[in-house]
Amino acid sequence: MGTFMRFSYLLMTILILLGCRSNENNDANSNNSPYGKWEVCDYKDDFGKPTGKKFVRQIVSGTFSNSATISSPLMAYVFLYQYDYNGDYSIDGEIYFDEYDNLVKDWKIFQDASPSEYCKIVDNTNKRVFEKANRYIYFAENGVKDKSYRWIDIFVRYPSKYSVTIKGEHNTMYYFDIDTEKLPEALTAANIKSENPNDR
């Protein structure tokens, strides 16, 4: 990959991470925002113009630890967007991890939390624990494996305040808290919908 291509990829990543604003005059960090801590963002075309298609995101701070560091600063970028498979709409998403908060995308997980082999999502308010202990399965609630979830399903179906633990590469552990209470409002504002019964 040439130097120009590397620079273009880095610039595109930085724009994706930073180039989002709340919809209209709503400040995502304001208590008055109907979306809480969620931002409603526009996809841009090659010329930087809004396409009319939107996604939502929340940026949260946390910590990470591995054999080289303990409780170092972390930024987690949580993205949710529309996925259209031949007219069957579902909500998809990714989480990017920026170790040391230096605008470098160090690792990411997809909608099923792969490639992580261990994740835990704890809802202390409602006394629920969702855990994934195998790379190839979804989250199970309170150890009951006959009903499974993606992390997206948990955030969308059960808006609450969660503590999240995710195991990354080289035994790196990521820790962050996220507030999903206003996520349904943000998804509605972004016109992100699901026609997949598994996402309801």
Side-chain angles (χ1 to χ4, degrees), residues 113-173:
S114 64
S116 178
E117 295 185 0
Y118 176 78
C119 308
K120 182 188 283 188
I121 299 175
V122 178
D123 179 355
N124 290 309
T125 303
N126 299 298
K127 302 293 188 277
R128 305 173 86 159
V129 177
F130 301 88
E131 197 166 12
K132 170 188 164 95
N134 184 303
R135 180 175 182 167
Y136 302 104
I137 63 171
Y138 292 110
F139 288 87
E141 181 181 355
N142 297 331
V144 178
K145 297 181 180 178
D146 60 346
K147 189 172 183 182
S148 59
Y149 304 87
R150 304 173 304 157
W151 60 265
I152 297 168
D153 302 327
I154 299 166
F155 290 174
V156 172
R157 291 183 197 179
Y158 311 116
S160 189
K161 294 179 181 176
Y162 292 101
S163 297
V164 181
T165 302
I166 297 175
K167 183 177 181 180
E169 294 179 310
H170 313 299
N171 292 321
T172 298
M173 301 298 294

Side-chain angles (χ1 to χ4, degrees), residues 12 15 43-51:
M12 182 179 70
L15 288 174
Y43 282 104
K44 304 291 178 64
D45 63 18
D46 293 337
F47 304 100
K49 303 293 185 184
T51 63

Side-chain angles (χ1 to χ4, degrees), residues 85-129:
Y85 182 73
N86 296 328
D88 183 17
Y89 297 101
S90 65
I91 301 171
D92 206 344
E94 299 172 7
I95 302 177
Y96 294 86
F97 298 100
D98 173 6
E99 299 171 6
Y100 299 110
D101 187 16
N102 58 4
L103 298 180
V104 175
K105 183 176 73 175
D106 295 289
W107 199 63
K108 75 174 181 178
I109 62 170
F110 297 97
Q111 50 89 20
D112 60 351
S114 64
S116 178
E117 295 185 0
Y118 176 78
C119 308
K120 182 188 283 188
I121 299 175
V122 178
D123 179 355
N124 290 309
T125 303
N126 299 298
K127 302 293 188 277
R128 305 173 86 159
V129 177

